[in-house]
Structures are given as structure tokens and as C-alpha cells.
Amino acid sequence: MYYIEDKERKKVIDLTENTKHENIYLINERPDDGFDKSNLTINQSTFSQMGFKKSQFKNSNLSHNIFMDCYFKDARMEQVSLVGSKFINCTFDNITLISCDFRYATFENCYIDFNDMLPNLPNLPSFHNVRWKMCTNLALECLKAGNSENYKLYFYEEKKASEKHYWEMFRKKESYYRRKYGAWDSLVGLFKYTASKFNKLFWGYGENIWQLVAMMLVTISVFTLFLYKTNFYENGNKVSQKLELGESLYISVCNFFTIGSGYTTTDTYSRILTACEGFIGMIIMGFFIAALFRFINRR
């Protein structure tokens, strides 16, 4: 197997505290609640088919390891570094994580519940992009597993982290961003930050259909007020009339959905309003259909 090639096999009993272990692999053991270790240092190693139910890890360095088919239900990890580790087909039900470091860790066919993971996501300004990528990874894994609730939580956290990253690119307050990004990057960061905020306001990053419905109602209401008391001809009548509120609402709805209203006008102002509302309506309806498709497709 690729992940255990050129590694020395060890057993749980060989994992002595305050000793560094490298390039080892542990396979098919169930120490479970009998495992209570502190000050472990295990790097560049592989854990395969290990049962760590109700186990406890404290003040340990488990960075750059591979965990395959490992069972961490009801386990507890306190001040454990898991930097750069990879988790494949693992189970984390009811895991307790306290001040753990998951920077650059990746997950495949598994995920940790959002509420358990949130306090342990990298939070320093220079790691906004790392937090962003981790949330993207975990959101996709939740989606693959059919957990839409955790997916949304990770998805929105991903967007928040990306916006913080773009904002730091623009203002470059932190030395990390000053070293890495130039003047052009600042403009790109500002553009992406603004676009993301608009995306959130407009349709909740594509996840909030009701936000689009509210946008429809606001658009129709605004154009209703613009059309109120403007001159229109009704059903070919040669004499124009100033629209009352009910009529302007009806025309605004028809304009938004680009359907005929039975009213015509030769007034330039009214024509421009009609064209603008129809154009905006097509755009909003396009986003609405896309959001509805995403909502249905996830189910």
C-alpha cells in the first residue's frame, strides 16, 4: 500500500511519550478508551483502520500524518497539532477538539461537524486563505455525504474567510500581505471583495432563494412608484391616462416578467422604465432559476 511503503510497523504499546516517532505505521488496532496519551510526537506516519473511540490525545504533535479508516467517535483531543495531516474515510462523531491546529489538513470522504471544528480553524490574519481552503474542502465533503446543514455552515464560513482574505489583500495591514501582494493585487482584492459582498446581498451566495424573492418584490415596488401617475394608453385607447397605484403595480409586474399588460405608451421616460425593469427582471429570474436548481439538485 502506498501510504505504508518504506515505513516501519509499530503497535500502540510502542508509542512512548516524550519520544519522537517518524515514518512508522499502525494498522488494525482498537485501543479505544484505553488510549490516554500526552506529549506524543508522531510525524510522517500512517494510521490505518485504528479504533480510537473515547481515546484521549493531549499536548501532542501529530502533524503530516495519514489517517485512513480511523474511528474517533467520542474521542478527545486537547492542544494537538495536526498540521498538514490527511484524513481518509474517518469517523468523528461527537469528537471533542480543544485548541487543536488543523492548518493545511485535508479531508477525503469524511468531515468533522462544523460546531466541533469552528474554534479550531486557523484564525490569524495571515491564515485567512488557509481557513478559506479548509472550509471549501469540508463543505464539499459535507455535500458529498448529504449533510446540507453542515455544508451551508462551512460554505458561509468559507465565504467569510475569502472576503477577509480579499480585504487584507487590498489594505495590506499585515506584513504577510505586504510582502506577497503588490499594487495590482490590491485592486484585484478590492474588486473581489466588493463582488463577493454584492453576491451575498443579492442572493446569499446562491444559497438563499427567499433573498431573491425579496429582491423581486423590492424591484416591482420601486418601479411601481416610478410608474405612478405616468401617461399610458389602455388597450389601444387614443387618450392617455395617468396611472393610479393599482394600475402602475399591474404594469410593473408585467414588465418584470416580460409579459404583455395591455397598456402602451409613447412617453420616453415610461419606455425607459419599462425596458429597464424587463432587463432587471430577466437577470433576477435567471439567478432565481439557478438557485432553485442548486436547491433541488442537492436533494
Side-chain angles (χ1 to χ4, degrees), residues 202-258:
F202 187 70
W203 66 331
Y205 306 114
E207 294 295 325
N208 195 335
I209 293 178
W210 295 111
Q211 204 161 316
L212 280 171
V213 172
M215 191 68 69
M216 292 179 192
L217 296 176
V218 169
T219 302
I220 290 171
S221 299
V222 168
F223 278 93
T224 295
L225 296 176
F226 285 157
L227 290 168
Y228 181 54
K229 295 300 182 181
T230 56
N231 294 315
F232 270 80
Y233 298 92
E234 181 181 5
N235 295 324
N237 192 335
K238 293 183 179 180
V239 180
S240 65
Q241 62 184 52
K242 291 188 180 297
L243 297 177
E244 296 300 324
L245 193 61
E247 294 166 327
S248 60
L249 174 60
Y250 170 71
I251 293 174
S252 180
V253 171
C254 292
N255 290 342
F256 184 89
F257 292 103
T258 61

Side-chain angles (χ1 to χ4, degrees), residues 15-34:
L15 300 181
T16 53
E17 298 179 352
N18 300 309
T19 303
K20 186 173 183 179
H21 305 270
E22 281 191 348
N23 294 310
I24 65 172
Y25 75 92
L26 297 93
I27 187 168
N28 200 24
E29 290 191 70
R30 294 293 305 269
D32 291 332
D33 56 358

Side-chain angles (χ1 to χ4, degrees), residues 69-296:
D69 300 297
C70 292
Y71 195 68
F72 291 102
K73 184 177 180 179
D74 297 318
R76 178 185 176 91
M77 293 187 177
E78 184 175 349
Q79 294 185 334
V80 177
S81 174
L82 293 146
V83 174
S85 290
K86 184 171 185 176
F87 299 89
I88 305 171
N89 298 323
C90 294
T91 300
F92 300 98
D93 296 347
N94 300 318
I95 192 171
T96 300
L97 301 171
I98 301 173
S99 301
C100 294
D101 188 353
F102 281 89
R103 283 175 298 152
Y104 308 106
T106 57
F107 296 80
E108 185 178 318
N109 296 323
C110 60
Y111 63 91
I112 298 175
D113 280 353
F114 178 80
N115 291 328
D116 294 327
M117 185 57 134
L118 181 61
N120 302 275
L121 289 170
N123 200 34
L124 292 174
S126 56
F127 290 119
H128 289 320
N129 56 336
V130 179
R131 186 185 183 97
W132 167 17
K133 291 176 182 177
M134 284 187 63
C135 288
T136 301
N137 174 204
L138 286 162
L140 291 173
E141 292 304 323
C142 292
L143 189 60
K144 283 164 57 178
N147 191 327
S148 58
E149 181 181 351
N150 268 281
Y151 159 73
K152 280 194 172 184
L153 291 170
Y154 275 120
F155 175 80
Y156 285 123
E157 192 63 31
E158 166 199 338
K159 292 300 180 183
K160 285 167 60 178
S162 67
E163 287 173 0
K164 288 180 180 179
H165 173 66
Y166 294 141
W167 182 246
E168 292 297 337
M169 280 178 63
F170 167 67
R171 69 174 189 164
K172 290 194 284 218
K173 183 178 179 180
E174 301 294 327
S175 59
Y176 167 80
Y177 285 91
R178 288 197 298 271
R179 291 194 307 269
K180 188 168 183 179
Y181 299 104
W184 174 251
D185 296 313
S186 293
L187 294 176
V188 171
L190 180 61
F191 174 79
K192 289 184 175 181
Y193 174 81
T194 305
S196 184
K197 285 294 187 183
F198 177 78
N199 191 357
K200 177 184 179 181
L201 176 66
F202 187 70
W203 66 331
Y205 306 114
E207 294 295 325
N208 195 335
I209 293 178
W210 295 111
Q211 204 161 316
L212 280 171
V213 172
M215 191 68 69
M216 292 179 192
L217 296 176
V218 169
T219 302
I220 290 171
S221 299
V222 168
F223 278 93
T224 295
L225 296 176
F226 285 157
L227 290 168
Y228 181 54
K229 295 300 182 181
T230 56
N231 294 315
F232 270 80
Y233 298 92
E234 181 181 5
N235 295 324
N237 192 335
K238 293 183 179 180
V239 180
S240 65
Q241 62 184 52
K242 291 188 180 297
L243 297 177
E244 296 300 324
L245 193 61
E247 294 166 327
S248 60
L249 174 60
Y250 170 71
I251 293 174
S252 180
V253 171
C254 292
N255 290 342
F256 184 89
F257 292 103
T258 61
I259 58 178
S261 65
Y263 287 82
T264 58
T265 182
T266 57
D267 181 61
T268 302
Y269 171 75
S270 300
R271 284 180 168 180
I272 291 173
L273 287 178
T274 298
C276 288
E277 187 175 12
F279 179 71
I280 294 171
M282 286 191 296
I283 292 175
I284 293 177
M285 286 305 299
F287 279 103
F288 179 81
I289 292 169
L292 186 62
F293 175 79
R294 289 178 65 171
F295 178 80
I296 295 173

